[in-house]
Amino acid sequence: MSNMINRAQQALSGFMSGASVASKNIQHADDTNFARETVKFTTGSGGQLIVNIQRMSDSFLSSRLNMATSRSAADSSAYDLASKIDKLITGSTTTENGKYENLFQSSITQMSSSWDGLLVEDTPSTRKTIIADIDQVRVNINDMARSLHQQQDAINSQIKTSTSDANTLLKQTAELNNQISKTPPGNSLNDLLNRQESLVRDLSKQLDVNTRFGSDGTVRIELKSGMTLVDGDKYRDLKVGKSEFSNDYSVSVNGKIVSDNPELLGGTIGGQLEVRSGALAEAQRKIGLMAATITGAYNEANRKGFTADNQPGKDLFAPITAGASPSKDNLGDSNLLIAIDPKGYQALTADSYTLTKTPTGFELYNNSTKVVTSSADLPIKVDGLDISLSTGVVMTGDSFLIDPMKTAAEKFEVVGTDNDIAISSKAPAVNGDNGNVSSFINVRNNKIMFNGSSTLAEGLASIFVDIGINSATALSQKQTSSSIYNSANEEWGAYSGVNLGDERISLLGYEKNYQAASKIVQTSQKLWSSILEVIG
């Protein structure tokens, strides 16, 4: 009789545990990182009931979901930023007369056609209109450059914030590892493992990481490059510092730069880095290329003629010059001067370059085409640029980033006035001599961009297309990675997720079984009491 009561009481305890597990599952049904628990009933060698609570987690499905989370976060971040750049450059707005147009493109068209008025009549108002149209292009290009620079600053700020968030998660994961290693199997350990799953999932939104689980449940976290971030209760911070050649932020671990390959870094941080060095830098350089081409072309055209007071034409736009960015590791104290060849603007590209001092001279590396140009000394002329030593001494091994188009739009400036327009073809000027107007009209009609393959209008259209393609590609990648994430999440949910219907049925079953076992205990106790009364 006592054995019957004992077994019934074991059943009561087991069904209570089952009901508790089902209730816990229902309570966490909305937690996307919670792995449901199941109860396994077995009997020991002595017939005692053994209750085993199992956490339904699969490391392969979790790793696959973490990878999908990282890729989706990277692509979502990249698209959000790339689409802003696209809208800024190629977006249209409603003008005062109700037209829907891109103001930048319209101002280029207006500037190019303004010169036709001088073919009809050279008047002060015509000249003032030309200068006003030129200045409107300047306003648009400067505003666009300023907005792109603000985007660059915003991305740097986002990288700093995302990195700080990742460091918090790394620290919490290491602390949790310490708790997990000291906690025996059971409900408490399962709760810690669920917390661990949540931390790793949140970390995957910031970075693409590999996870390796120990037999005690602790997790080792590594970057895709193999660099360890968390090992037991120890972790390594992500450090944010200035890049080698600029004030842009780079990310390092244990003194090693890990942000040079954003796609490998993954997550939101990788997406932000990818846009900063990709779509954003490309937009800055190509708008800068447009500014530099306009500067060179119109200055050359004006220098071909003479003004009304018989003076040779001078620059209408300030010549664009730039310094190079020396590596922070340079031994020498030198800097470079980068100038645009007044007659070489047609050869300009949107590429950046790296110049390195070698034991025998200098090597100029095109960062886009990978072409290397060697020279025994400076200056070097390449792609419409004049590269010369500005100050200081260059030491062997010193390197410089040469990226003049990235800042050219910010330096785009009109310096000529209506009286500086040189439309006479010779001096002394005679009334009606507008022979040099053709030079300005040729700026519009000739193929002067992209090494003589495009007119200004065609070049701008090409820039718009390239920027639009970047945004469209980012959208496509976002949609693809989102689909992969949804698939991985569904697979994880099918194995580890909570089904409310199933859990409610289980809960009702445990309650009914508990009630039945309880009646057995009550009946057995009454029977045992009756027997004792008879005996007693």
Side-chain angles (χ1 to χ4, degrees), residues 371-383:
V371 173
V372 176
T373 302
S374 298
S375 175
D377 204 352
L378 296 178
I380 295 176
K381 293 181 179 291
V382 63
D383 298 337

Side-chain angles (χ1 to χ4, degrees), residues 267-283:
T268 299
I269 298 173
Q272 292 162 347
L273 288 163
E274 193 171 348
V275 171
R276 190 189 69 187
S277 61
L280 176 60
E282 180 181 351

